[in-house]
Structures are given as structure tokens and as C-alpha cells.
Amino acid sequence: MGPKTTTQAPERALMKALRLHLEASLLPGEGLADTAAMDEAAGFLLGAARTRAAGQSLVQIESASDGRRHLRIAIINDDMPFLVDSIAAAMAALGLGIDLLLHPVIAVERDDTGAITALGKPGAKEAPGASSARPESLIYCETPRVDARQRRDLLEALQAALADVHAAVSDWPKMQAAMAEDTALTGAADAEAAALLGWLNGGKLTQLGHLTRHCDGRETDVLGICRSSSRELLAEISLQRAFEWFDDHDAAGTPRALLMIKSNVQSRVHRASPLDLVIVPHRADGKTAALSIHAGLWTSAAMNARPGEVPVLRALLSGTAEQLKFDPAGHNGKALVHAFTSLPNDLLTAFDPACVSTLVTAKMALTDRPRPRVVMVRATLERHVFAFVWLPRDQLSTDVRLQIQAMLLATPGAGLLDWSLEVESGSLALLRFLIDVRACGDLPSDAGIEAQLVELLRGWNEAVATHLAGFEEEGRAAALAARYAPAFPTGYRLTYGPEEAARDIARLRPLALGDGEGEAQAARAARLYRLAGDGADVLRLKVYALEGELALSD
């Protein structure tokens, strides 16, 4: 390493050192366009990082117009996990694309005022001769420019994400200790549940928060994001249901040692996804006195683990095989293992065994006979519904996904919390939706949604032609559908569907041809009708007019 750089050293020395770090952090095929652009990035980042107190997060945003309009963002922190992915997730949530991201981790020495006195060379763990040097994360981003309000939103989102990252990382040992205590507590009641807790605590769950909720409303052992942004992991009514769920099982002689559910709270750390909640009851005097709630995200290693390696899931697998009388070495036994392997571990361990059996046998049938299929699973505590929708992967598109989503959310009050897509190695794709049903009535049945899905995937024109065949002969119905069906806009298709479109074509066609009794009769028509989801007290009126204005009094 060269001679030590001090606060009196020329700015050029620090700029040169920082630029070397930025260049070293470039990925192949990415980078700034020229030397001047790299110098500007280094100057902006150095200005933001110049003075910083230990443990402080710094975020600086400015607009730039050097050849193109964009934002420059500098984010300075102590080096720790989850910084880059959490920042990227915060930007993505606001719809911001990242044009460039550079992330050098630099050994930085600062004086008593927090000013930089030296920077280590790329790859060095310490600054030259500086025992006080500490690794710092310096992140430089460029994004498309946004207006002032969006910049404020971006600043707030980044600061909130960084606060959660700091809280989760600093409390991580305490959260591990809390889960270890719950593992020991659970072991006496349910060895398999205790094994799952130990497995998760061994690096399979990215632990982000914890709190203990007592039945009298007190909260203790508040750790990680629960002391930062996410104190309310569950609504009060859901907490009450959780206490009752454990007590009801105790009263029925089927005590439960563990409850795993999804939170409505989205993680700001690592990836934007609903938090996984692992809830352990603390009992006293025969009642559930408190709930120890661990919040985190299953790791990719945990999600990809084979079912035989996951406690609780391995018991579900063997129990399902025994219930269905499948020979583990036979075709059905192997197909069952494949079905378990293809479905998400975090959900299978959380679902009721009967729901797991329904889900995996549906997947088994699809392996032998691929076709559109819908299975909806209501989660424990009745807060969420998980919709599993299989369809031919060649027919998957954003428009199709949005139409399926509209079908699932047709019930007033239903809300979408999350969705994901898995394209399988065969001919099927799996869309998975997490739906909040706390404020709505019953969703449509699996069979009802599946029938709509089949109709959707037949293609709009073909579906309209099928329904037109009820009014016209088959060849003529196909010709009418080919001529008129494409004219219906997407909003109509999502709201009314192909059957209603066929009825509209059947009414509009005679008007266009001038059929009818008299000129006035041929110029307009009307129809009373109901949509599939309407109640008996709903009646709709549709008026058709070929041209001109139509007075409502008519």
C-alpha cells in the first residue's frame, strides 16, 4: 500500500483511490461510458461519504444532466448483509429501474470528527497502517429522473429499508437465541416441530424480527424490524384468532406446538415478499399465555431442499403416502415425491395436512395429464387464500395473468397481496396468488374459476364463437366471431366475458343489417340481464343504438 492519506492530503488522492474501487466493482459488460463520467461518479460518492458517524446511514440524491437526464444516488453504510438487494427492492417497488449500480466495500479510516483520512486499496481489509479502519459499503446508483415528490418517496423508502437492515443485522444473534429457546421449549411437546425450528435456525430462515405477544396485550423481546418499521406483524383480530387456535386444539386433545402463516407486512429487507411468521405458544395453567412470533423469509436453500430433508414436510410426505397406500418404490410413490418437490416448502409446511393432500394429488394428476387446473387453499386463521393456477406455458402472457387475477379478485373486498410464477420443465406453468380475504365473503369455487380459465385459454374469438353457436349454426357463428369478437376491448373482456359478448353480437348484428319491424325498431334494441355474480335483487339494462343520440326518456 502507498503512503497514508490524511485530511490535509489533496482531494485528488482520495478521488483516485475511490475511482480505483469503482472500477474494480464493475461487472463485465457494465460501466460508465468514459473517464469523465467515472470521475463525476467518484466525486459525487466521495462528497456524500466525506463525513459520517459510526453506524450512521447516509443517502444523497441529486439530478444530473450530463448528456442524459438521470438521478445519482449515493448510499453510505457500515458494511453488512442485505444492503444491495434491499435497496434494489425499494427502488423496484416504486417502479424505478436501475441503470447502473456500483458497490465497492472499502476499508475506511476516519478521524474523531468522522472525516475520511485514508482509503485502503481494492481488496485490502484495512487502510494503510490504520488499526481504526473499518469496512464501509459505498453504493452508487443511477436511475431515470423522477419529479420532486417521487424523489421524496424514494428517499423515505431507502431510509426505511436501511433502518430495517440495520435493526435486523444488529439483533440477529438475539433472534437466533430466541428461536433456540423456542426450539428447546417445543421439543418436549412435538419433536418434529422442534426439528423444523432448529432447521430454520440453522440458516434456513433469514430472521428479520421477533416479539413475544402476551395474552394481556403486552409485548416483550422486541427485536429486529419489530423495533423498526414492522411492530404490527398481525392485526389484533388475527392475534386473537391465533390464541384461540392454540387453545381450541388443546381443548380438543390435539395440541399444536407451532403455527406457520404469512404476514400482510411486506419485507423491506433482502426481497419484497410477505413475511413468513413462525409462531410458538408459551403455555401457563393450561392456557396459551403468550405467542413467540418470529418473522423472516425462507432462504433459497430452504425453498429448494428436497421434502425428505425438511422436518414436518418429511412427516407429511410419509403420512400422505401411507394414507393413499402408495408404494414408495412404485410409480405413484415416486410421483408423490415429485409433486411434493415441485410445490413450495414454506407453504406445504404451513398448510393443514388435508389441504396438502388435495394439492399434491392435483399436481400428480397434472403430471400425467397436463391441463388447466385451479386449486385454492384457505390458510390457517382464515385470513388468506392461496390460489394455485396451472396453465399451458405457451399460453401464458401478462394479459392472461391479469385476466386470471381479475377472476380471483371478483369478490368485493378481496385483495391481492402477492403473486409468483414458476415455469416448469414440462408443458405447464404455475401462477400462485396470495389473496387477502379478511374483508370479503366467499370466493368463487375452484370449479367455477377453473371453468372460466378453460374458457379464457380457448382464446377469445373461439370462446365467443362457442357461445354464438347457441344462436347461429356453427359455421356462421365462427364467421361472426372472427368478424366482431376482436372489436371488444380488454376492459369489456375482463368485466363481461365471452358469453355476454356473444349475446351482444346477436343483438347488434340485426341492427347493422337493418332487420326488424320498422325503421325505429331496427335502429335500437334493449335487453334485461344479470351477470354470473349478481344476486337475485340485481337486474341490469343494456340499450343498443346503431347511431345518433338516445334520450334516456325513450
Side-chain angles (χ1 to χ4, degrees):
M1 296 184 182
K4 181 175 179 178
T5 304
T6 69
T7 51
Q8 287 75 39
E11 183 83 2
R12 186 179 301 172
L14 291 176
M15 282 277 293
K16 181 179 179 181
L18 181 52
R19 180 177 168 178
L20 289 173
H21 281 282
L22 290 175
E23 290 174 345
S25 70
L26 288 171
L27 294 174
E30 291 191 353
L32 296 169
D34 51 37
T35 301
M38 184 68 81
D39 285 340
E40 287 190 18
F44 173 63
L45 194 55
L46 182 61
R50 171 63 76 180
T51 303
R52 186 180 79 92
Q56 183 184 17
S57 291
L58 298 177
V59 181
Q60 187 169 321
I61 304 174
E62 74 170 23
S63 297
S65 301
D66 48 349
R68 62 185 181 89
R69 293 164 54 84
H70 63 279
L71 287 185
R72 288 193 183 117
I73 304 168
I75 303 169
I76 320 298
N77 283 275
D78 293 336
D79 184 39
M80 61 184 65
F82 309 130
L83 288 171
V84 172
D85 44 5
S86 302
I87 288 165
M91 293 181 181
L94 295 175
L96 269 182
I98 299 176
D99 298 327
L100 177 69
L101 190 151
L102 304 177
H103 180 219
V105 176
I106 307 174
V108 180
E109 182 186 3
R110 296 181 182 272
D111 62 19
D112 292 342
T113 67
I116 296 175
T117 59
L119 297 176
K121 290 183 178 179
K125 299 298 183 184
E126 295 183 354
S131 60
S132 61
R134 295 291 182 270
E136 295 188 19
S137 163
L138 280 71
I139 299 175
Y140 174 81
C141 293
E142 291 184 0
T143 74
R145 185 178 291 192
V146 295
D147 62 29
R149 180 186 60 79
Q150 291 169 307
R151 281 179 58 175
R152 288 194 299 271
D153 292 343
L154 174 60
L155 179 61
E156 291 174 2
L158 291 174
Q159 290 173 334
L162 293 171
D164 275 6
V165 169
H166 279 247
V169 171
S170 61
D171 284 353
W172 180 72
K174 294 179 181 178
M175 291 186 286
Q176 276 203 313
M179 186 169 280
E181 290 176 5
D182 283 341
T183 301
L185 175 68
T186 304
D190 188 332
E192 196 68 5
L196 178 59
L197 285 173
W199 185 78
L200 292 172
N201 203 26
K204 299 300 190 294
L205 181 73
T206 301
Q207 298 188 52
L208 301 177
H210 173 267
L211 62 83
T212 300
R213 171 63 180 245
H214 300 266
C215 61
D216 59 8
R218 290 181 300 116
E219 291 179 349
T220 58
D221 307 315
V222 181
L223 301 170
I225 62 173
C226 295
R227 64 176 176 83
S228 177
S229 70
S230 304
R231 186 66 172 255
E232 189 176 280
L233 296 171
L234 287 172
E236 286 297 322
I237 185 64
S238 298
L239 286 166
Q240 181 182 338
R241 287 179 180 178
F243 276 101
E244 292 172 351
W245 186 81
F246 283 110
D247 286 341
D248 289 347
H249 276 288
D250 288 347
T254 56
R256 295 290 190 267
L258 189 63
L259 173 61
M260 301 182 68
I261 57 177
K262 295 283 184 181
S263 174
N264 281 19
V265 176
Q266 292 268 340
S267 171
R268 287 191 175 97
V269 181
H270 188 39
R271 66 176 185 266
S273 181
L275 288 164
D276 294 298
L277 302 184
V278 181
I279 304 177
V280 178
H282 291 187
R283 294 180 171 93
D285 301 324
K287 299 288 287 183
T288 305
L291 302 175
S292 178
I293 307 174
H294 304 267
L297 297 170
W298 280 55
T299 66
S300 57
M303 293 294 287
N304 293 322
R306 295 186 62 80
E309 302 168 358
V310 184
V312 173
L313 190 55
R314 63 196 179 194
L316 276 171
L317 174 58
S318 61
T320 304
E322 183 177 345
Q323 178 190 11
L324 298 174
K325 296 180 171 52
F326 287 166
D327 178 4
H331 171 76
N332 285 338
K334 293 177 180 178
L336 181 66
V337 172
H338 174 72
F340 265 88
T341 304
S342 67
L343 293 167
N345 291 340
D346 60 331
L347 298 184
L348 292 181
T349 53
F351 289 162
D352 180 87
C355 295
V356 172
S357 179
T358 299
L359 191 59
V360 296
T361 51
K363 176 62 177 113
M364 286 177 63
L366 290 171
T367 301
D368 293 332
R369 188 165 69 89
R371 63 192 186 281
R373 184 73 199 274
V374 177
V375 177
M376 294 197 286
V377 178
R378 189 171 285 268
T380 310
L381 304 188
E382 303 292 312
R383 300 159 55 249
H384 300 147
V385 166
F386 294 86
F388 294 78
V389 181
W390 285 275
L391 68 162
R393 64 182 186 179
D394 289 343
Q395 293 183 271
L396 180 64
S397 67
T398 299
D399 184 58
V400 167
R401 192 258 302 172
L402 290 174
Q403 291 188 62
I404 295 170
Q405 188 172 303
M407 295 174 193
L408 295 169
L409 302 180
T411 303
L416 182 69
L417 291 175
D418 194 29
W419 71 275
S420 64
L421 165 66
E422 296 175 21
V423 179
E424 302 178 354
S425 57
S427 60
L428 291 178
L430 170 61
L431 283 167
R432 198 168 71 241
F433 300 90
L434 174 57
I435 304 169
D436 185 351
V437 294
R438 294 173 300 167
C440 71
D442 290 337
L443 295 181
S445 67
D446 296 23
I449 295 293
E450 193 170 296
Q452 293 181 60
L453 176 63
V454 170
E455 191 164 77
L456 167 67
L457 296 178
R458 281 191 304 186
W460 174 255
N461 287 13
E462 183 181 346
V464 172
T466 300
H467 290 290
L468 271 172
F471 309 103
E472 305 280 354
E473 66 90 20
E474 188 172 342
R476 183 174 174 79
L480 288 173
R483 181 174 181 181
Y484 295 112
F488 290 91
T490 301
Y492 177 101
R493 300 182 193 192
L494 292 174
T495 304
Y496 296 100
E499 182 176 3
E500 186 64 16
R503 293 181 182 276
D504 286 341
I505 291 172
R507 287 301 180 99
L508 287 167
R509 174 68 173 165
L511 298 186
L513 295 177
D515 294 343
E517 299 176 4
E519 183 178 347
Q521 181 70 17
R524 67 187 63 164
R527 181 166 66 89
L528 294 171
Y529 71 105
R530 289 191 179 98
L531 294 179
D534 291 341
D537 58 340
V538 174
L539 193 60
R540 300 172 185 263
L541 169 67
K542 188 173 289 189
V543 179
Y544 306 87
L546 188 63
E547 60 184 17
E549 295 180 352
L550 178 66
L552 289 178
S553 58
D554 288 353

Short mmCIF file of all heavy atoms in Angstrom, two decimals, residues 50 53 65 114 118 144 204 207 226-227 246 249 345-346 362 384 386 394 412 425 456:
data_model
loop_
_atom_site.label_atom_id
_atom_site.label_comp_id
_atom_site.label_asym_id
_atom_site.label_seq_id
_atom_site.Cartn_x
_atom_site.Cartn_y
_atom_site.Cartn_z
N ARG A 50 -17.95 11.85 2.74
CA ARG A 50 -16.84 12.58 3.35
C ARG A 50 -16.85 12.54 4.87
O ARG A 50 -15.84 12.28 5.51
CB ARG A 50 -16.88 14.03 2.85
CG ARG A 50 -15.93 14.98 3.55
CD ARG A 50 -14.49 14.61 3.34
NE ARG A 50 -14.02 14.98 2.02
CZ ARG A 50 -12.78 14.76 1.60
NH1 ARG A 50 -11.92 14.16 2.40
NH2 ARG A 50 -12.41 15.09 0.38
N ALA A 53 -20.68 9.48 10.94
CA ALA A 53 -20.51 8.89 12.27
C ALA A 53 -20.66 7.38 12.17
O ALA A 53 -21.37 6.86 11.30
CB ALA A 53 -21.54 9.46 13.24
N SER A 65 -27.53 15.95 -15.57
CA SER A 65 -27.91 16.15 -16.97
C SER A 65 -26.70 16.10 -17.89
O SER A 65 -26.65 16.79 -18.90
CB SER A 65 -28.63 17.49 -17.14
OG SER A 65 -29.77 17.56 -16.34
N GLY A 114 -15.27 12.11 12.21
CA GLY A 114 -15.94 11.29 11.20
C GLY A 114 -15.48 11.56 9.79
O GLY A 114 -16.02 10.97 8.85
N ALA A 118 -8.21 8.18 5.20
CA ALA A 118 -7.50 7.24 4.34
C ALA A 118 -8.47 6.23 3.76
O ALA A 118 -9.49 5.89 4.39
CB ALA A 118 -6.40 6.52 5.11
N PRO A 144 -33.51 6.46 -13.86
CA PRO A 144 -34.20 7.52 -14.61
C PRO A 144 -34.64 8.65 -13.67
O PRO A 144 -34.92 8.41 -12.49
CB PRO A 144 -35.41 6.80 -15.20
CG PRO A 144 -35.00 5.36 -15.26
CD PRO A 144 -34.12 5.14 -14.08
N LYS A 204 -31.65 -21.58 7.54
CA LYS A 204 -32.67 -21.78 6.52
C LYS A 204 -33.76 -20.70 6.53
O LYS A 204 -34.62 -20.67 5.68
CB LYS A 204 -33.32 -23.16 6.68
CG LYS A 204 -32.34 -24.33 6.53
CD LYS A 204 -31.69 -24.33 5.17
CE LYS A 204 -30.90 -25.60 4.90
NZ LYS A 204 -29.73 -25.74 5.79
N GLN A 207 -33.75 -14.49 9.41
CA GLN A 207 -34.51 -13.96 10.54
C GLN A 207 -34.41 -12.43 10.55
O GLN A 207 -33.31 -11.87 10.56
CB GLN A 207 -33.98 -14.55 11.84
CG GLN A 207 -34.15 -16.07 11.90
CD GLN A 207 -33.81 -16.63 13.25
OE1 GLN A 207 -34.33 -16.17 14.27
NE2 GLN A 207 -32.95 -17.64 13.27
N CYS A 226 -39.11 -5.51 14.13
CA CYS A 226 -40.26 -5.25 15.01
C CYS A 226 -40.01 -4.02 15.88
O CYS A 226 -40.96 -3.44 16.41
CB CYS A 226 -40.55 -6.47 15.88
SG CYS A 226 -41.08 -7.91 14.93
N ARG A 227 -38.76 -3.61 16.04
CA ARG A 227 -38.49 -2.36 16.75
C ARG A 227 -38.17 -1.23 15.77
O ARG A 227 -37.83 -0.13 16.17
CB ARG A 227 -37.33 -2.53 17.74
CG ARG A 227 -35.99 -2.87 17.12
CD ARG A 227 -34.90 -2.91 18.19
NE ARG A 227 -33.62 -3.32 17.66
CZ ARG A 227 -32.76 -2.48 17.06
NH1 ARG A 227 -33.06 -1.21 16.93
NH2 ARG A 227 -31.60 -2.94 16.61
N PHE A 246 -54.70 -22.10 19.17
CA PHE A 246 -53.93 -22.99 20.04
C PHE A 246 -54.81 -23.53 21.18
O PHE A 246 -54.76 -24.74 21.51
CB PHE A 246 -52.72 -22.25 20.63
CG PHE A 246 -51.58 -22.07 19.66
CD1 PHE A 246 -51.25 -20.82 19.17
CD2 PHE A 246 -50.83 -23.16 19.24
CE1 PHE A 246 -50.22 -20.65 18.27
CE2 PHE A 246 -49.77 -23.01 18.34
CZ PHE A 246 -49.47 -21.74 17.85
N HIS A 249 -57.30 -26.27 19.95
CA HIS A 249 -56.65 -27.56 19.75
C HIS A 249 -56.32 -28.23 21.07
O HIS A 249 -56.43 -29.46 21.20
CB HIS A 249 -55.38 -27.38 18.91
CG HIS A 249 -55.63 -27.37 17.43
ND1 HIS A 249 -55.98 -28.50 16.72
CD2 HIS A 249 -55.62 -26.35 16.52
CE1 HIS A 249 -56.15 -28.19 15.44
NE2 HIS A 249 -55.95 -26.90 15.29
N ASN A 345 -41.95 -25.29 -0.33
CA ASN A 345 -41.78 -25.86 1.00
C ASN A 345 -42.39 -25.00 2.10
O ASN A 345 -42.94 -25.52 3.08
CB ASN A 345 -40.29 -26.07 1.30
CG ASN A 345 -39.67 -27.17 0.47
OD1 ASN A 345 -40.38 -28.02 -0.07
ND2 ASN A 345 -38.36 -27.16 0.34
N ASP A 346 -42.30 -23.67 1.94
CA ASP A 346 -42.81 -22.80 3.00
C ASP A 346 -44.32 -22.92 3.16
O ASP A 346 -44.84 -22.78 4.28
CB ASP A 346 -42.41 -21.34 2.75
CG ASP A 346 -42.94 -20.80 1.43
OD1 ASP A 346 -43.13 -21.59 0.49
OD2 ASP A 346 -43.16 -19.57 1.34
N ALA A 362 -53.52 -33.24 -6.82
CA ALA A 362 -53.85 -32.47 -8.03
C ALA A 362 -52.61 -32.32 -8.91
O ALA A 362 -52.68 -32.48 -10.13
CB ALA A 362 -54.39 -31.09 -7.64
N HIS A 384 -56.13 -15.64 4.66
CA HIS A 384 -55.63 -15.65 3.28
C HIS A 384 -56.13 -16.86 2.53
O HIS A 384 -56.43 -17.91 3.13
CB HIS A 384 -54.09 -15.69 3.27
CG HIS A 384 -53.45 -14.52 3.94
ND1 HIS A 384 -52.24 -14.61 4.62
CD2 HIS A 384 -53.84 -13.23 4.05
CE1 HIS A 384 -51.92 -13.43 5.10
NE2 HIS A 384 -52.87 -12.58 4.78
N PHE A 386 -54.66 -19.06 -0.81
CA PHE A 386 -53.60 -19.28 -1.79
C PHE A 386 -54.23 -19.95 -3.01
O PHE A 386 -54.82 -21.03 -2.89
CB PHE A 386 -52.50 -20.17 -1.21
CG PHE A 386 -51.74 -19.54 -0.07
CD1 PHE A 386 -52.21 -19.65 1.23
CD2 PHE A 386 -50.56 -18.86 -0.29
CE1 PHE A 386 -51.53 -19.08 2.29
CE2 PHE A 386 -49.87 -18.28 0.75
CZ PHE A 386 -50.35 -18.39 2.05
N ASP A 394 -47.22 -22.15 -22.94
CA ASP A 394 -47.24 -21.43 -24.21
C ASP A 394 -48.37 -20.40 -24.27
O ASP A 394 -48.36 -19.50 -25.11
CB ASP A 394 -47.40 -22.42 -25.38
CG ASP A 394 -46.15 -23.25 -25.60
OD1 ASP A 394 -45.08 -22.85 -25.09
OD2 ASP A 394 -46.24 -24.31 -26.25
N PRO A 412 -66.09 -8.66 -4.03
CA PRO A 412 -65.77 -7.38 -3.39
C PRO A 412 -65.04 -7.58 -2.07
O PRO A 412 -65.41 -8.42 -1.25
CB PRO A 412 -67.16 -6.75 -3.17
CG PRO A 412 -68.02 -7.37 -4.22
CD PRO A 412 -67.51 -8.78 -4.37
N SER A 425 -40.59 -27.61 -16.05
CA SER A 425 -39.83 -28.22 -17.14
C SER A 425 -40.72 -28.89 -18.18
O SER A 425 -40.31 -29.11 -19.30
CB SER A 425 -38.83 -29.24 -16.58
OG SER A 425 -39.51 -30.25 -15.82
N LEU A 456 -61.17 -19.01 -20.96
CA LEU A 456 -60.20 -17.97 -21.30
C LEU A 456 -59.10 -18.50 -22.22
O LEU A 456 -58.73 -17.86 -23.21
CB LEU A 456 -59.58 -17.41 -20.02
CG LEU A 456 -58.33 -16.54 -20.16
CD1 LEU A 456 -58.70 -15.23 -20.87
CD2 LEU A 456 -57.71 -16.26 -18.80
#
